[in-house]
């Protein structure tokens, strides 16, 4: 069972915006600004899309943005493109160099 | 450019020990600001952080797996390793190694290696 709660699936049409939520507790998401997001295409390794809540690594389009409010973090993808269709996972630092994970969200681009 | 490559047996028998190695190339494993970690993904399921290790040897394990997991680092070979004891079918997964800056997120991943637990 995952420590962080994500919706199983979200969908949107090309050009639209979607938001994926990630809910934890005050011991993880709410306690640290260290939430990260990963994109995974089928049979591929995950790719870091966002670190420390809202920091985009080099090469990640600025269509991707991150935020946090209380115990819930969010990843927003604007201007949806077909290539964004993938599974998305959130992770949070939980103290003492430990990490907790979300169950993953399948994004479908209609 | 830093690259990571997992290696090890693809098939392990139940109750035995799973052993994997991650080789780091294009950079040094000996950094005080990075840790090195293992993440796994059972078939059709999500990602699970297994644990992390600093080059100094300090280790941090996922609580549910802590009793069965051992990680080590070999700075002379620029490698770090994972052992999972008393494996069952539930340990069947793709195992990834990754670089973890300051223990907070995984920014470089290996391609993953599939391990099947079966007799």
């Amino acid at each position: 069972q995952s420590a962080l709660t994500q919706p199983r699936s979200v969908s949107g049409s090309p050009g639209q915006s979607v938001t994926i939520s990630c809910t934890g507790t005050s011991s993880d998401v709410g306690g640290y600004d260290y939430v990260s997001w990963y994109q995974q295409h089928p049979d591929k390794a995950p790719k870091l899309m966002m670190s420390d809540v809202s920091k985009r690594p080099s090469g990640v389009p600025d269509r991707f943005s991150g935020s946090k409010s209380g115990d819930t973090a969010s990843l927003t993808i604007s201007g949806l493109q077909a290539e964004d269709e993938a599974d998305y996972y959130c992770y949070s630092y939980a103290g003492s160099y430990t990490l907790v994970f979300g169950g993953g969200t399948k994004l479908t681009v209609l | 450019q830093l690259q990571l490559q997992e290696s090890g047996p693809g098939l392990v028998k139940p109750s035995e020990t799973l052993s994997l190695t991650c080789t780091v190339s294009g950079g040094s494993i000996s950094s005080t600001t990075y840790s090195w970690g293992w993440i796994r993904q059972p078939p059709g399921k999500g990602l699970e952080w297994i644990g992390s290790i600093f080059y100094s040897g300090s280790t941090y394990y996922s609580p549910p797996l802590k009793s069965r997991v051992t990680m080590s680092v070999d700075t002379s070979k620029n490698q770090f390793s994972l052992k999972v004891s008393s494996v069952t079918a539930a340990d069947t997964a793709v195992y990834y190694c990754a670089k973890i800056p300051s223990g907070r997120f995984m920014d470089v991943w290996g391609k993953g290696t599939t391990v099947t637990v079966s007799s």
Side-chain angles (χ1 to χ4, degrees):
Chain A
Q1 184 175 356
S2 306
L4 307 179
T5 301
Q6 298 181 234
R8 282 188 174 251
S9 64
V10 298
S11 62
S13 299
Q16 289 186 333
S17 294
V18 295
T19 296
I20 301 172
S21 61
C22 172
T23 300
T25 70
S26 58
S27 297
D28 37 68
V29 175
Y32 306 92
D33 288 334
Y34 296 151
V35 175
S36 52
W37 291 89
Y38 303 85
Q39 177 192 66
Q40 187 180 36
H41 287 109
D43 298 319
K44 297 292 186 182
K47 175 185 176 183
L48 177 67
M49 304 301 285
M50 200 70 60
S51 67
D52 297 344
V53 175
S54 59
K55 294 182 180 178
R56 265 183 298 105
S58 174
V60 173
D62 59 7
R63 303 184 292 104
F64 290 83
S65 62
S67 63
K68 192 188 86 166
S69 178
D71 296 341
T72 298
S74 299
L75 177 71
T76 298
I77 308 170
S78 58
L80 266 181
Q81 299 183 3
E83 67 207 50
D84 298 332
E85 184 163 296
D87 294 325
Y88 290 83
Y89 295 90
C90 65
Y91 262 79
S92 176
Y93 183 74
S96 301
Y97 295 104
T98 62
L99 295 165
V100 293
F101 56 97
T105 299
K106 181 176 181 60
L107 168 62
T108 301
V109 180
L110 302 171
Chain B
Q1 182 180 356
L2 194 76
Q3 293 185 318
L4 283 67
Q5 178 68 58
E6 306 88 350
S7 59
L11 182 64
V12 182
K13 290 182 168 55
S15 79
E16 294 189 346
T17 296
L18 176 162
S19 296
L20 295 174
T21 296
C22 182
T23 301
V24 179
S25 59
S28 174
I29 200 171
S30 301
S31 169
T32 57
T33 57
Y34 309 148
S35 62
W36 305 91
W38 290 95
I39 301 93
R40 70 180 183 179
Q41 185 170 33
K45 296 187 178 181
L47 302 169
E48 179 183 17
W49 174 74
I50 300 171
S52 303
I53 185 168
F54 282 88
Y55 87 98
S56 61
S58 297
T59 53
Y60 304 88
Y61 300 139
S62 173
L65 296 170
K66 187 174 184 177
S67 64
R68 297 194 296 125
V69 169
T70 303
M71 295 178 63
S72 61
V73 63
D74 187 337
T75 54
S76 66
K77 295 182 179 179
N78 232 29
Q79 295 176 333
F80 61 102
S81 299
L82 170 72
K83 293 185 186 296
V84 182
S85 63
S86 305
V87 297
T88 69
D91 295 305
T92 293
V94 177
Y95 284 77
Y96 297 97
C97 60
K99 170 173 154 279
I100 309 181
S102 303
R104 304 201 309 267
F105 55 88
M106 291 73 76
D107 66 344
V108 181
W109 294 69
K111 293 183 178 180
T113 187
T114 298
V115 178
T116 301
V117 179
S118 175
S119 56

